Amino acid sequence: MTTMPPTFRAYVAEKVGDRVERGVRTFAAADLPAGEVEIRVAWSSVNYKDGLATRADGKVARISPLIPGIDLAGEVVASADRSIAPGTAVLAHGYELGVSRHGGYSEYQRVPAGWVVPLVAGLSPREAMAIGTAGFTAAMSVVALEDRGLQPDSGPVLVTGASGGVGGTALAILAERGYEVWAATGKEDEVTRLRQLGASGILGRDEVTAQGRPLESERWAGAVDAVGGATLPYVLRTLQTGAAVAASGNAGGARLETTVFPFILRGVALLGMDSVTVPIGRRRQLWDRLATDLRPRELGVHVTEVGLDELDDALDGIVAGSARGRWLVRVGG
Ligand SMILES: NC(=O)c1ccc[n+]([C@@H]2O[C@H](COP(=O)([O-])OP(=O)(O)OC[C@H]3O[C@@H](n4cnc5c(N)ncnc54)[C@H](OP(=O)(O)O)[C@@H]3O)[C@@H](O)[C@H]2O)c1
């Protein structure tokens, strides 16, 4: 274990006029915000929000310069909180990380103790970031659907944006729990991988973004949607009576144009997912479950590893919708 050095490497995004300048810089420990826990970051990941945080039109970054990275995992090197000892493997994500406070694309980071999740045995820092914020949101979505009564024998469950982080992890969790999962994707060349992850059937993006009648045949016992746009209305009008969709994202657009009929004639529910504000106690519980009964199938396999110097392409790629599984960022791992 090493203590935090006076300077280290970090990937920084800085607004300069109308542009955002991005790249690896030497960063000073003295310029990190205050916090009780200092972490040597081993791994971070690339989430859709990270892509937005490094774009001038992204409307995500709240400070400049910003070290992006909305999640991180590594080892505690110093702690002013007695419940989190140096040497502990931990992760942190959510709250202000990588948005209004420096995030995970940094060899060292300082965070409030109340944001820290100690890693349970059975989940390495690399595996934790292979799940990352996207996978945590997928797990939240599965739990929300099950809390409302969804079970493996309820019927087929639809996952949209299945080649991406939230979608792919939701597919892998649901398949491992014995559900019949259908994957909607815009990428034909991902079909084999999605079947490998556990998809029983595949829908093309055309089908789930087409205009339709206010109500169509009742098909899905539940759904996980991180796409929004034209896809969420399709999901709502094809859910079975009493079923729910857990909605977390807008990769396909932020506008929602639907009718009230799925709600008032079929008792369908739209469950909003917000991973950012989940209280720390609940967050730690859910991470414990991600190591055990919510552990995604083939965890850590469907990843592309990049270093800090290779982040530009990954950040642009995720916003362009080219995700194929998760991008892992090797910070010091
Ligand atoms: N609410 C929360 O707490 C929370 C947490 C995490 C993420 N999110 C949100 O969830 C969404 C997904 O995040 P992610 O990290 O999983 O992103 P991602 O890895 O890029 O996955 C998004 C997937 O959506 C699909 N997609 C469908 N239409 C698209 C379009 N027009 N443009 C781009 N992609 C399209 C693509 O999959 P296919 O090609 O397979 O269709 C893409 O791979 C984002 O909006 C993100 O901000 C929210």
Side-chain angles (χ1 to χ4, degrees):
M1 193 177 64
T2 50
T3 54
M4 188 185 292
T7 61
F8 44 81
R9 295 174 81 234
Y11 180 92
V12 179
E14 180 165 15
K15 248 191 137 183
V16 181
D18 295 342
R19 294 177 310 108
V20 174
E21 277 185 5
R22 311 179 299 183
V24 177
R25 295 186 192 170
T26 300
F27 205 88
D31 292 334
L32 291 181
E36 297 83 29
V37 181
E38 293 182 350
I39 299 167
R40 188 178 68 81
V41 180
W43 298 94
S44 181
S45 78
V46 178
N47 293 274
Y48 193 84
K49 199 170 174 181
D50 298 315
L52 295 180
T54 61
R55 289 166 66 105
D57 60 353
K59 299 193 176 80
V60 163
R62 294 278 175 267
I63 55 171
S64 176
L66 169 72
I67 302 175
I70 61 171
D71 46 34
L72 61 86
E75 184 190 21
V76 174
V77 293
S79 172
D81 185 291
R82 286 219 306 235
S83 67
I84 303 166
T88 309
V90 296
L91 69 88
H93 72 122
Y95 310 117
E96 299 165 22
L97 203 67
V99 175
S100 51
R101 188 180 164 112
H102 293 311
Y105 300 161
S106 176
E107 289 178 336
Y108 289 84
Q109 195 49 269
R110 197 181 285 134
V111 298
W115 293 9
V116 172
V117 178
L119 282 174
V120 287
L123 202 62
S124 67
R126 184 181 185 279
E127 287 173 330
M129 286 301 101
I131 295 170
T133 302
F136 178 85
T137 307
M140 275 179 75
S141 304
V142 172
V143 170
L145 294 174
E146 290 188 345
D147 283 350
R148 207 170 172 279
L150 184 71
Q151 298 173 17
D153 62 3
S154 302
V157 177
L158 177 65
V159 171
T160 64
S163 72
V166 177
T169 314
L171 165 59
I173 293 173
L174 287 162
E176 194 61 21
R177 285 172 83 70
Y179 286 89
E180 177 189 335
V181 197
W182 285 62
T185 183
K187 303 184 186 91
E188 269 178 36
D189 58 349
E190 281 287 284
V191 168
T192 307
R193 188 177 74 81
L194 296 176
R195 287 206 180 271
Q196 203 181 317
L197 266 181
S200 302
I202 305 286
L203 271 68
R205 192 180 294 172
D206 289 352
E207 185 172 349
V208 298
T209 54
Q211 295 285 321
R213 287 173 283 121
L215 290 172
E216 294 179 34
S217 303
E218 299 187 32
R219 195 160 176 195
W220 311 112
V224 175
D225 175 62
V227 175
T231 302
L232 187 52
Y234 163 84
V235 175
L236 289 166
R237 65 182 187 259
T238 54
L239 283 174
Q240 295 173 9
T241 295
V245 53
S248 59
N250 62 347
R255 262 193 100 73
L256 177 59
E257 288 179 26
T258 182
T259 73
V260 297
F261 294 121
F263 307 111
I264 65 174
L265 296 181
R266 287 187 181 162
V268 154
L270 174 54
L271 309 176
M273 299 293 114
D274 175 16
S275 67
V276 174
T277 55
V278 176
I280 192 65
R282 170 117 186 84
R283 195 180 294 276
R284 289 174 178 163
Q285 275 174 3
L286 203 49
W287 275 104
D288 286 357
R289 289 192 63 190
L290 275 159
T292 52
D293 69 309
L294 292 175
R295 189 181 173 90
R297 180 175 288 185
E298 303 201 344
L299 177 57
V301 175
H302 302 262
V303 296
T304 305
E305 281 187 20
V306 292
L308 289 177
D309 298 296
E310 300 159 306
L311 267 169
D312 290 359
D313 287 350
L315 290 163
D316 292 341
I318 198 161
V319 176
S322 62
R324 284 175 160 71
R326 300 255 308 133
W327 274 282
L328 265 177
V329 186
R330 196 184 331 97
V331 183

